[in-house]
Amino acid sequence: QVELVESGGGLVQAGDSLRLSCTAIARGFSMYAKGWFRQTPGKEREFLAAISRGDSSTTVADSVKGRFTISRDNGKNIVYLDIHNLRPEDTAVYFCAVTAAYELPTTEHLYEIWGQGTQVTVSS
């Protein structure tokens, strides 16, 4: 089993860049597809990006394409989300998640294991 811990969130200004990290506590990270989501109070969890379990294939939501990039380091059991040109509407709790059952899942219910989330707050 894999336990996930997100880090890198905090208070930032609009226009800044930020790298979020998701670190796996246990081994076996390479066998999972990995994704990033975000959520604000009263709103459903929004898919952002995913990277395949089988290779380095990625998919990024159209709403954040060009600003958000997902990458991984399986040797270090880390998946990253790089965010550029942050906007106030990016303020949310950001979650990483993994699944061993799908290649490039974009739907919340397809993920098996979730981290606790890291808060990103963007000031104007």
Side-chain angles (χ1 to χ4, degrees), residues 8-25:
L11 295 169
V12 295
Q13 288 188 291
D16 285 354
S17 295
L18 193 64
R19 165 167 276 195
L20 305 182
S21 298
C22 174
T23 302
I25 301 301

Side-chain angles (χ1 to χ4, degrees), residues 25-41:
I25 301 301
R27 290 183 178 272
F29 211 35
S30 62
M31 67 183 295
Y32 295 92
K34 308 158 183 68
W36 283 95
F37 293 76
R38 67 184 178 187
Q39 189 170 28
T40 57

Side-chain angles (χ1 to χ4, degrees), residues 13-117:
Q13 288 188 291
D16 285 354
S17 295
L18 193 64
R19 165 167 276 195
L20 305 182
S21 298
C22 174
T23 302
I25 301 301
R27 290 183 178 272
F29 211 35
S30 62
M31 67 183 295
Y32 295 92
K34 308 158 183 68
W36 283 95
F37 293 76
R38 67 184 178 187
Q39 189 170 28
T40 57
K43 192 174 181 180
E44 66 184 6
R45 196 163 292 183
E46 176 188 9
F47 170 77
L48 299 173
I51 188 163
S52 176
R53 66 175 182 172
D55 53 29
S56 59
S57 297
T58 63
T59 186
V60 181
D62 289 339
S63 60
V64 297
K65 190 172 295 183
R67 295 195 301 120
F68 286 37
T69 303
I70 187 170
S71 61
R72 69 185 180 194
D73 187 336
N74 284 332
K76 295 182 178 180
N77 288 348
I78 300 174
V79 59
Y80 302 103
L81 184 69
D82 291 313
I83 310 173
H84 301 279
N85 193 24
L86 280 155
R87 305 167 180 171
E89 51 264 42
D90 292 322
T91 296
V93 177
Y94 285 72
F95 297 89
C96 66
V98 301
T99 178
Y102 302 93
E103 289 295 326
L104 273 178
T106 61
T107 305
E108 179 182 358
H109 72 88
L110 298 180
Y111 285 86
E112 301 171 309
I113 304 170
W114 293 80
Q116 289 289 319

